[in-house]
């Protein structure tokens, strides 16, 4: 879940987030990062992997690399970047690149919380790899708490 638009100043983290290839899966399967963030993709399996994306915000192909090697990608454009492994076609992940600091991963129980959104009318984007994307408009009051329930699919 993220607030759509560039209102706000999101800075990349000083330490790159990590999406590890482990047990023929990307771990974690989804992350949210601000524009300009470099993400590290280490191979933790005993065999080669290839990390690539054909998504509009970031097209790349890191080639095949063995256990212990790691490659980095910097995400400079906002949007959803779907990531795959050319060697194992069932492997997938997503990097959601946000233009502002207001985003959250939804917990297993469906809850989420985004603190610090400025007062005003905003568009929230809800995205799921299998269920698609939904946008909802929400009015945030100064110092208040706004609840927004959304059902995807």
């Amino acid at each position: 879940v993220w607030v759509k638009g560039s209102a706000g100043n999101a800075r990349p983290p000083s330490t790159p987030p990590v999406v590890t290839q482990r047990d023929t899966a990307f771990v974690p399967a989804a992350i949210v990062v601000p524009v300009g963030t470099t993400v590290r993709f280490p191979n933790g399996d005993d065999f080669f992997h290839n990390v690539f994306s054909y998504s509009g915000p970031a097209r790349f192909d890191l080639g095949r690399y063995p256990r212990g090697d790691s490659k980095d990608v910097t995400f400079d454009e906002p949007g959803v970047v779907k990531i795959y492994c050319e060697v194992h076609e069932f492997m997938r992940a997503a990097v959601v690149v946000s233009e502002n600091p207001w985003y959250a991963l939804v917990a297993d129980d469906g809850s989420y919380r985004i603190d610090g959104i400025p007062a005003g009318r905003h568009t929230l984007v809800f995205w799921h790899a299998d269920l698609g994307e939904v946008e909802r408009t929400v009015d945030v009051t100064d110092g208040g708490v706004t609840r927004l329930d959304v059902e995807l699919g």
Side-chain angles (χ1 to χ4, degrees):
V1 178
W2 66 93
V3 174
K4 188 175 182 177
S6 60
N9 184 15
R11 294 185 205 171
S14 57
T15 302
V18 175
V19 177
T20 302
Q21 300 150 81
R22 183 181 327 125
D23 298 327
T24 59
F26 289 105
V27 180
I31 61 171
V32 184
V33 300
V35 168
T37 298
T38 298
V39 176
R40 184 156 291 144
F41 293 93
N43 182 352
D45 281 331
D46 288 332
F47 38 82
F48 283 76
H49 284 293
N50 166 280
V51 178
F52 75 94
S53 176
Y54 294 141
S55 298
R59 294 178 61 91
F60 59 88
D61 186 336
L62 302 181
R64 292 183 181 194
Y65 55 101
R67 178 183 184 96
D69 281 6
S70 183
K71 299 197 178 184
D72 295 350
V73 175
T74 300
F75 295 89
D76 290 323
E77 298 293 328
V80 177
V81 180
K82 296 176 182 177
I83 297 171
Y84 303 96
C85 173
E86 178 264 331
V87 180
H88 305 96
E89 63 185 40
F90 54 86
M91 287 177 62
R92 66 180 182 166
V95 175
V96 177
V97 186
S98 176
E99 296 177 271
N100 60 63
W102 304 300
Y103 52 81
L105 286 175
V106 176
D108 289 340
D109 66 2
S111 65
Y112 67 95
R113 182 181 180 102
I114 305 173
D115 292 321
I117 300 173
R121 178 164 282 188
H122 299 281
T123 300
L124 265 63
V125 182
F126 297 81
W127 179 84
H128 185 280
D130 296 322
L131 302 176
E133 184 176 298
V134 172
E135 293 186 3
R136 294 288 185 263
T137 301
V138 62
D139 291 312
V140 177
T141 59
D142 193 26
V145 174
T146 303
R147 181 184 171 108
L148 182 61
D149 294 324
V150 172
E151 192 168 318
L152 295 174

